[in-house]
Amino acid sequence: METQTGFMKGRTIFVAALVVVVTVITYYSFQEKDSGKEYEVEIKRERQAKDNFMRSSDESPFGEAKKNFKKLNYFPIELKYRISARLESIENKKVVVLPTSDGLEKKYLEYGIAKFELNDEPCELLILEIMEDGPYRGTLFLAFADATSARETYGAGRYLDVKKIPGASSVTLDFNQAYNPYCAYAANYSCPFPPKENVLKTAIQAGEKTYHE
């Protein structure tokens, strides 16, 4: 009898533990699904807000032509393009001079190198820090080109906002939020080209595509 009682207690504990495990797995599965859904909703909301800005703001790069603006073009949203990259610091930082679309130059300071793998290929992107005086001084700048450039996306490359976290060993690169410089819409802007280190061989089919009126 004691043996049977012990067995029943053990079985009860096992079943209870199994229920807990299944509950936890189910919970996190739903969390991941909800997280993916919420993420997609948030990206779509940001894109809609940008369209509204392009269509109605006095600061729209389309100027008077904004009355004919419909919407920007994007790749489908995919979580695989939201990447947590390894961030390697640069000890002896140098000034990087980038040519711009209007024949001028802009100076930046090396900040770090983001390393990651995409489409089974190792990738590296040089992240720069803005040096010029103004509200953006000290913030990060990332311009890149890839195998979609001049085909599906703007030929002179795209930009990606990167959050600066002092001392961080990783950085989030969300290519679903990659966007065109204003030069993609109008010629009267000065837009830096990507550094040669940031011309990737792989195709990043995420973020903003070429704009067509």
Side-chain angles (χ1 to χ4, degrees):
M1 186 70 176
E2 290 180 359
T3 302
Q4 186 175 352
T5 302
F7 171 78
M8 292 301 293
K9 284 183 179 179
R11 186 172 184 277
T12 301
I13 293 171
F14 172 78
V15 171
L18 183 61
V19 170
V20 171
V21 171
V22 171
T23 301
V24 170
I25 291 174
T26 302
Y27 171 78
Y28 281 109
S29 294
F30 278 116
Q31 284 292 96
E32 288 177 3
K33 289 180 181 177
D34 290 344
S35 176
K37 274 188 175 181
E38 290 174 6
Y39 170 74
E40 186 171 341
V41 168
E42 180 60 29
I43 295 294
K44 288 181 177 179
R45 186 182 295 121
E46 290 175 3
R47 292 178 177 181
Q48 184 61 55
K50 190 169 183 179
D51 280 347
N52 292 339
F53 171 85
M54 295 294 193
R55 188 179 298 114
S56 59
S57 175
D58 291 337
E59 297 179 5
S60 170
F62 291 96
E64 292 301 318
K66 66 186 178 184
K67 58 179 180 285
N68 299 319
F69 174 82
K70 294 181 180 179
K71 65 177 182 177
L72 299 176
N73 300 315
Y74 295 95
F75 287 102
I77 300 166
E78 288 192 46
L79 278 173
K80 81 167 192 174
Y81 287 111
R82 188 174 189 271
I83 296 169
S84 179
R86 187 169 78 257
L87 181 62
E88 292 190 356
S89 60
I90 299 174
E91 292 186 7
N92 300 314
K93 297 181 179 180
K94 300 176 183 177
V95 173
V96 176
V97 180
L98 298 182
T100 62
S101 56
D102 57 352
L104 301 178
E105 294 178 338
K106 283 194 176 183
K107 293 181 179 180
Y108 298 86
L109 185 65
E110 292 178 330
Y111 179 77
I113 300 173
K115 294 187 174 182
F116 57 98
E117 189 172 288
L118 184 62
N119 302 326
D120 296 323
E121 291 187 28
C123 301
E124 293 186 7
L125 289 174
L126 175 62
I127 301 175
L128 303 173
E129 184 175 332
I130 296 176
M131 297 176 61
E132 63 185 21
D133 292 333
Y136 296 106
R137 182 180 175 86
T139 59
L140 303 183
F141 175 74
L142 175 56
F144 71 96
D146 64 285
T148 69
S149 300
R151 294 182 178 88
E152 298 168 281
T153 61
Y154 183 51
R158 292 178 289 167
Y159 295 169
L160 190 63
D161 291 335
V162 179
K163 187 176 181 180
K164 187 177 184 180
I165 303 177
S169 59
S170 64
V171 62
T172 298
L173 303 178
D174 192 346
F175 291 105
N176 290 298
Q177 295 180 311
Y179 60 93
N180 290 334
Y182 276 5
C183 301
Y185 319 120
N188 58 322
Y189 287 93
S190 180
C191 305
F193 295 126
K196 61 182 180 180
E197 296 94 330
N198 288 4
V199 179
L200 302 177
K201 293 180 180 179
T202 192
I204 300 182
Q205 295 179 308
E208 191 175 348
K209 290 183 170 183
T210 302
Y211 175 76
H212 298 289
E213 293 185 347

